[in-house]
Amino acid sequence: MKYMLIMRADDAGIANYEQMDFAEVIAAMGAYNESLIKAGVLLAGEGLADAKEGFVVDFDATPPVVTDGPYAEAKELFNGFWIIGVSSKEEAVEWAKRCPLGPGARLEVRRVNELEDFPQDNEWIQKEAGWRAEAEAKAAGTAS
């Protein structure tokens, strides 16, 4: 099963991070990522650029309203994520607890839905399965 580890930080966490030695942060995250890779559980992961470069699309209105970041109403910012493939929720918890984050930071851990979670006779689920198979073949260099 797949889990997404969503890294969040509040103002205190961001302030704490900004006072840390960047080389130490990179080394700690690199060591964590290396442990995920060596265990064969890392499927994806990325850090996000500053919220000032982002935007929000609000669907409360028609057409949707686009607002540039940063997000004054946000109490926490989403800073990055990992997707891991593990055998159980407990294993996901163990990996999450090893993440080198400090005070003011949190990891929200959510199971990622997989195609098997949806009705297999649904037209769109069947199309999704086909698209994923094509993408995997393309990535493997076997697409025709």
Side-chain angles (χ1 to χ4, degrees):
M1 55 185 59
K2 295 179 189 174
Y3 281 88
M4 179 178 241
L5 286 59
I6 304 164
M7 184 172 34
R8 298 180 185 273
D10 60 16
D11 288 343
I14 293 168
N16 184 38
Y17 166 78
E18 290 174 347
Q19 293 182 5
M20 297 174 70
D21 180 88
F22 188 66
E24 289 180 22
V25 171
I26 294 296
M29 284 296 175
Y32 180 64
N33 291 340
E34 183 178 36
S35 67
L36 292 167
I37 292 166
K38 284 185 175 178
V41 299
L42 183 64
L43 301 177
E46 298 290 343
L48 300 180
D50 194 299
K52 293 175 189 164
E53 297 179 38
F55 57 90
V56 171
V57 180
D58 184 347
F59 292 90
D60 284 345
T62 304
V65 176
V66 178
T67 307
D68 288 338
Y71 323 108
E73 67 280 359
K75 293 185 171 88
E76 292 184 326
L77 292 176
F78 173 29
N79 300 318
F81 70 92
W82 295 265
I83 296 179
I84 59 174
V86 294
S87 61
S88 66
K89 179 180 178 180
E90 292 74 21
E91 187 179 356
V93 169
E94 288 305 314
W95 281 109
K97 287 166 56 177
R98 295 180 197 174
C99 188
L101 298 177
R106 291 172 180 47
L107 276 181
E108 177 181 341
V109 180
R110 305 263 309 266
R111 188 175 70 78
V112 176
N113 280 329
E114 301 196 41
L115 285 177
E116 295 75 24
D117 294 325
F118 298 95
Q120 298 302 299
D121 60 347
N122 179 282
E123 172 189 357
W124 289 102
I125 300 304
Q126 293 171 355
K127 285 182 180 181
E128 179 74 22
W131 295 329
R132 288 181 185 213
E134 285 178 25
E136 287 176 17
K138 193 176 203 177
T142 58
S144 54

